[in-house]
Amino acid sequence: MNRLQANLCLLCVTLCWSSEVIIFSCIPDDVSAFATTCITSLIGSILLFFGFMKRIISELKRNRNGYIKAGLVLGILNLIYNLMYLIGLNKLDVSTGAFSISMTSVVLPVILLTMRQHVETKTIISAFLILVGIMLAVGTGAESGTSLGFAIMIAGCIIRAFYIVILNKSAREYDPVVLSALLSFIVGIIGFVSWFVSDSTTFASIRWTPTIIACLAIYSYFIVSFAQTLNIYAHKKTSAANATIIYSLEIVFSIIWGISMPSDIVTPVTLSTRIAIGVALIVFGNILVIFERTGRRAVDAN
């Protein structure tokens, strides 16, 4: 896999992730964020384990301590920022929530620079274009009363930025499938403990309707098992900063869902001039990163 292929894989991952907005909107508010995270992560880890049992056992025997350490750090950070996103998205409309998530692509290059790590010039330009796009699309058009939700989302973006930096380094050291399976399992266990503390009835507290079961199943497979594993594979050949730039395309897909999907599935989005210009800037910023000269040396952000 070369760098262009890795970037295209991240584009596929971002498309899968954009469906989170739709899936979350179909899960009732009385199903806690802890419950959603716990159930989907545990199911995802089970799917990966039974699909790659021999490979996972072999790798854990070879370097068990390294995998567990990396999995614990990533698992804790993953759980924290995902819970923040779940809570924040419940307080925001679709467009504001999705654009808030895209702020990670702006935050991460700044964090890398403060850590005195190299960031390519075109990545900084892309991050600036995306920032302008976010400001144009959200601007003063955000609904009133969403400041708390927006603040929670930004805090989640900062934590996610550190998560991506560590994930990028770990992806180059460990088997992506094993790391993904272990990461999902750890997130699921931590999520269950948090869920039990907040509601000791756990699974019994959920009204198991066909809609909830379908949403959890779809999320477990496409977001946890498939997208997360593919994401780790792609990080082997691209930098953390470039990856977050591509992640910002999630807003483009999310806006499309908000425009095209029925109002009983997602909150409708009206395509205004501001949103259109913002999306265009985000897309252009991504073109600078995704399509580069063939054979160009990949820059390791670590």
Side-chain angles (χ1 to χ4, degrees):
M1 179 187 292
N2 58 36
R3 187 168 178 175
L4 176 58
Q5 291 172 330
N7 289 339
L8 293 177
C9 283
L10 288 173
L11 181 60
C12 178
V13 169
T14 304
L15 176 59
C16 291
W17 283 349
S18 68
S19 64
E20 287 180 334
V21 177
I22 301 173
I23 297 173
F24 289 158
S25 66
C26 296
I27 298 177
D29 293 337
D30 58 359
V31 179
S32 72
F34 293 123
T36 304
T37 302
C38 168
I39 294 171
T40 56
S41 296
L42 288 179
I43 293 176
S45 66
I46 291 172
L47 291 174
L48 287 170
F49 180 78
F50 283 104
F52 303 92
M53 184 183 301
K54 292 183 178 180
R55 180 172 173 177
I56 292 174
I57 293 176
S58 175
E59 281 294 306
L60 289 178
K61 287 181 178 179
R62 183 180 64 85
N63 189 8
R64 180 180 60 187
N65 292 337
Y67 277 105
I68 292 177
K69 181 180 178 181
L72 280 173
V73 173
L74 291 171
I76 293 172
L77 292 176
N78 181 282
L79 177 66
I80 293 174
Y81 85 72
N82 270 307
L83 288 176
M84 286 185 170
Y85 282 177
L86 283 168
I87 295 170
L89 285 172
N90 285 334
K91 301 179 182 296
L92 300 173
D93 59 277
V94 173
S95 60
T96 306
F99 271 100
S100 300
I101 292 176
S102 301
M103 283 297 293
T104 304
S105 60
V106 179
V107 171
L108 191 138
V110 175
I111 290 176
L112 289 176
L113 289 173
T114 59
M115 295 170 64
R116 297 183 179 179
Q117 296 189 21
H118 177 73
V119 180
E120 293 178 279
T121 302
K122 66 182 180 63
T123 301
I124 297 176
I125 295 174
S126 296
F128 176 76
L129 290 173
I130 291 170
L131 174 61
V132 174
I134 294 171
M135 293 176 64
L136 282 174
V138 179
T140 57
E143 295 180 355
S144 60
T146 63
S147 57
L148 176 60
F150 189 76
I152 293 173
M153 295 294 290
I154 295 302
C157 287
I158 295 173
I159 295 174
R160 187 188 183 196
F162 283 104
Y163 167 85
I164 293 171
V165 172
I166 298 173
L167 177 67
N168 186 263
K169 180 179 179 180
S170 299
R172 299 165 189 265
E173 298 177 357
Y174 304 109
D175 185 306
V177 172
V178 182
L179 188 59
S180 181
L182 185 60
L183 171 59
S184 299
F185 178 75
I186 291 174
V187 169
I189 294 299
I190 298 175
F192 177 77
V193 173
S194 304
W195 185 17
F196 181 80
V197 171
S198 62
D199 182 5
S200 60
T201 60
T202 58
F203 295 95
S205 65
I206 299 178
R207 293 176 294 170
W208 293 100
T209 64
T211 299
I212 291 178
I213 294 173
C215 288
L216 294 177
I218 293 171
Y219 192 97
S220 299
Y221 178 78
F222 285 102
I223 306 300
V224 179
S225 296
F226 175 73
Q228 177 177 265
T229 305
L230 185 61
N231 178 52
I232 297 175
Y233 263 112
H235 269 272
K236 281 183 171 290
K237 294 296 182 179
T238 193
S239 68
N242 281 11
T244 51
I245 294 295
I246 299 174
Y247 292 159
S248 68
L249 280 173
E250 185 174 348
I251 177 55
V252 178
F253 298 121
S254 296
I255 292 298
I256 292 174
W257 307 147
I259 294 173
S260 60
M261 299 294 287
S263 59
D264 58 341
I265 296 179
V266 297
T267 304
V269 175
T270 301
L271 185 61
S272 65
T273 301
R274 291 173 64 95
I275 291 179
I277 295 175
V279 168
L281 287 172
I282 291 174
V283 171
F284 182 70
N286 272 271
I287 291 175
L288 294 179
V289 168
I290 296 176
F291 301 103
E292 57 184 356
R293 293 193 300 272
T294 303
R296 183 175 179 176
R297 179 176 62 85
V299 176
D300 186 355
N302 298 297

